[in-house]
Amino acid sequence: MDPWVRNPQADREPGPFREGDKVSFAYGSTVLVGTIVEDRGNLGYQRRRLYDIRVPQQDVPEDMEIELPADVLTLVEKAPEPKKKGKRRS
C-alpha cells in the first residue's frame, strides 16, 4: 500500500485486523484464505470496517482482490510484527 494514499482514519482508529494478516471468509459454498492488503476504514454500510483482501488463484495469472467487512472475516494467521526503528549504534 502506498503510504501517500493511506486512509488516515484507519491509522488513528485501528480495526481488528491489520495489513499482512491472513484471513478466511465464505465465498459461495467454499472458504477462501487471503491476505489483507489495505484497511479501508469505516466506509461500509452503517460504518462497518472494510478491508481489501488479495486471494491467490490457481490456474489464473492474477490474484483475486475483494473488499469485505470485518464481521465476515476470520483470522487465520497474524502478520509478523514490524521491526522497531531505533538508533543504530556505530
Side-chain angles (χ1 to χ4, degrees):
M1 177 69 211
D2 185 353
W4 291 100
V5 292
R6 288 182 70 101
N7 181 353
Q9 183 249 346
D11 285 335
R12 284 192 310 270
E13 303 168 19
F17 306 108
R18 63 172 214 212
E19 292 175 12
D21 286 352
K22 289 193 183 297
V23 293
S24 65
F25 58 93
Y27 189 76
S29 62
T30 63
V31 175
L32 297 179
V33 176
T35 304
I36 293 179
V37 292
E38 183 181 2
D39 181 350
R40 302 274 291 139
N42 298 330
L43 300 175
Y45 173 71
Q46 294 183 344
R47 300 191 42 80
R48 289 177 15 176
R49 191 69 168 222
L50 296 180
Y51 291 93
D52 277 340
I53 302 160
R54 182 172 293 142
V55 181
Q57 298 292 299
Q58 295 177 357
D59 303 326
V60 179
E62 294 182 11
D63 294 342
M64 177 176 79
E65 289 203 22
I66 189 168
E67 186 174 274
L68 293 170
D71 57 352
V72 301
L73 302 175
T74 303
L75 182 66
V76 172
E77 181 182 333
K78 291 289 271 179
E81 290 292 325
K83 293 182 180 180
K84 298 190 183 220
K85 294 180 182 177
K87 290 185 179 180
R88 245 177 39 185
R89 299 181 90 190
S90 35

